[in-house]
């Protein structure tokens, strides 16, 4: 029942506290809709976006409407499109292949030692996403899949 406690207003309030004025504040309903449509806890999507780009606040994220580092440098028409694409991608490229915990997702999403991570930021990904997911009420060691 993880995602059941995630509502758009609750996610927006959390995002506004974490990063006031961030581009993703106000898109809580989009996180919920896309998370539920793709069987992934919306809180996990928010946690990843916070860890990757301070909820879209980083200059590169703003320039590309890409709060998730997806691609890693893909450009989207809007942050709502970015959220929808990432939710679908996590479903088909991760959850459907049995990668359902943040620790399992991290091995593919942000692998430690990856060639495109020269400064080693990926080594912080799991600690950051699990702490944020826990703040949002998720089980940091549990499955982020809803079904």
């Amino acid at each position: 029942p993880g995602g059941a406690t995630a509502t758009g207003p609750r996610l927006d309030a959390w995002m506004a506290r974490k990063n006031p004025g961030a581009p993703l504040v106000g898109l809580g309903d989009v996180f919920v809709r896309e998370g539920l449509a793709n069987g992934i806890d919306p809180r996990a999507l928010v946690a990843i976006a916070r860890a990757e780009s301070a909820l879209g606040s980083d200059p590169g994220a703003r320039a590309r409407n890409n709060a998730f580092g997806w691609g890693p440098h893909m450009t989207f028409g809007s942050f709502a499109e970015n959220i929808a694409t990432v939710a679908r991608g996590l479903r088909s490229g991760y959850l459907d292949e049995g990668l359902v915990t943040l620790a399992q997702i991290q091995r593919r999403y942000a692998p430690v030692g990856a060639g495109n991570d020269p400064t080693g930021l990926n080594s912080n990904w799991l600690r950051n996403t699990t702490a944020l997911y826990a703040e949002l009420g998720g089980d940091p060691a549990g499955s982020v899949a809803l079904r």
Side-chain angles (χ1 to χ4, degrees):
T5 59
T7 66
R10 283 184 186 166
L11 294 176
D12 282 328
W14 184 87
M15 290 187 288
R17 282 193 305 276
K18 292 302 271 189
N19 291 87
L24 297 186
V25 175
L27 295 178
D29 287 338
V30 176
F31 278 103
V32 171
R33 181 182 71 236
E34 296 302 332
L36 296 178
N38 291 285
I40 185 167
D41 189 334
R43 298 172 301 179
L45 295 171
V46 171
I48 292 168
R50 173 61 173 76
E52 287 285 340
S53 72
L55 299 170
S57 295
D58 292 351
R62 282 185 190 267
R64 292 187 281 280
N65 292 322
N66 187 346
F68 297 86
W70 195 252
H73 298 295
M74 290 177 67
T75 297
F76 295 88
S78 67
F79 279 114
E81 178 190 334
N82 179 221
I83 295 164
T85 299
V86 172
R88 278 193 310 273
L90 286 171
R91 170 92 251 160
S92 63
Y94 296 77
L95 304 183
D96 286 350
E97 295 184 21
L99 306 175
V100 297
T101 67
L102 289 169
Q104 292 167 337
I105 289 168
Q106 189 256 344
R107 291 183 210 129
R108 180 174 295 168
Y109 194 103
V112 175
N116 68 349
D117 183 32
T119 59
L121 290 175
N122 287 0
S123 63
N124 301 319
W125 193 92
L126 184 61
R127 183 183 70 240
N128 292 341
T129 57
T130 55
L132 294 161
Y133 187 54
E135 269 185 45
L136 285 158
D139 173 0
S143 173
V144 300
L146 298 180
R147 56 179 181 271

